[in-house]
Amino acid sequence: MASGVKPRVKVPKTAAAGDVVTIKSLISHKMESGQRKDKEGNLIPRSIINRFTVEFNGQSVLDMTMEPAISTNPYVQFEAKVPEAGEFVFTWYDDDGSVYDTKKKIKIA
Amino acid sequence: MEFSRRDTLAMGLGAAVVTVLPFRVSAAADDKIAEFTGGAEMSDGGITLTAPEIAENGNTVPISVEAPGATAILVLAMGNPTPGVATFNFGPMAGSQSASTRIRLAGTQDVVAVAKLADGSFAKASSTVKVTIGGCGG
């Protein structure tokens, strides 16, 4: 498991029903591309987050496939519909099999 | 300087490899596109790719894509060792078919985005980014 992985997401606390909200997500991860070499000239093996998904009340918002060309600490900004109060579930899938997730509730104002 | 038969052959081989290499890279990118579109034609409208004209640091280049009504968007960096960057699949709860992220670019090159639109057709946009410092660690 990659060390120091910490997901962070920014979701508004409230929204009007039917609103579209902007969500920003970031996870601290080194995203080793598998192209770099260490001091001895050996390739450093690839270790990245290869998939990121977002769901709202069980329905998909975004399902993103990531490749080594995504920068360190992958940051993604996107928009989601909020027809009702509920919970966003963010899930990141690591190459090594680890899964990181975080949840955010949103209320209808 | 005299050339032996062996030297000449080696030089010819080297030249052949040099000419074949750039072709192989773009072929990998074309394969990615073909896999995504299934070989369908791509139109020019319907997708917007926003990328900086000049990126000082190739390690983190902000890009954003938008394609109203699209179900999926594929992003490729044509000049990277592996051309794939990301694929965004938008679900029913997506507020808009747009997303921004930060990508790595090995050098000055074209960034290409291909969208699969709601009617099953495909649209393509491309943007050239000049990179001052490459982002693939060398």
Side-chain angles (χ1 to χ4, degrees), chain B residues 56-69:
Chain B
E56 276 185 18
N57 183 355
N59 265 314
T60 168
V61 182
I63 60 143
S64 60
V65 286
E66 178 164 22

Side-chain angles (χ1 to χ4, degrees), chain A residues 35, chain B residues 13-33 76-84:
Chain A
Q35 301 281 346
Chain B
L13 204 67
V17 166
V18 167
T19 48
V20 162
L21 262 176
F23 172 71
R24 269 189 45 217
V25 169
S26 70
D30 287 344
D31 282 353
K32 277 262 181 193
I33 294 177
L76 297 171
M78 304 307 268
N80 274 6
T82 52

Side-chain angles (χ1 to χ4, degrees), chain A residues 20 30-31 33 35-36 56 59-72 75-81 83, chain B residues 32 59-60 80-82 84-96 98-104 136-137:
Chain A
V20 168
K30 58 188 184 331
M31 294 293 275
S33 69
Q35 301 281 346
R36 296 198 312 150
F56 181 68
Q59 280 195 289
S60 170
V61 176
L62 179 73
D63 183 342
M64 178 184 178
T65 311
M66 291 183 172
E67 311 228 15
I70 296 289
S71 299
T72 308
Y75 161 85
V76 185
Q77 183 186 328
F78 54 93
E79 292 183 326
K81 273 188 245 173
Chain B
K32 277 262 181 193
N59 265 314
T60 168
N80 274 6
T82 52
V85 174
T87 313
F88 300 94
N89 295 295
F90 298 103
M93 300 308 283
S96 68
S98 67
S100 322
T101 187
R102 298 179 188 145
I103 66 169
R104 291 182 177 132
C136 282

Side-chain angles (χ1 to χ4, degrees), chain B residues 10 37-38 51 68-69 77 101 110 134 138:
Chain B
T37 62
T101 187
D110 286 342

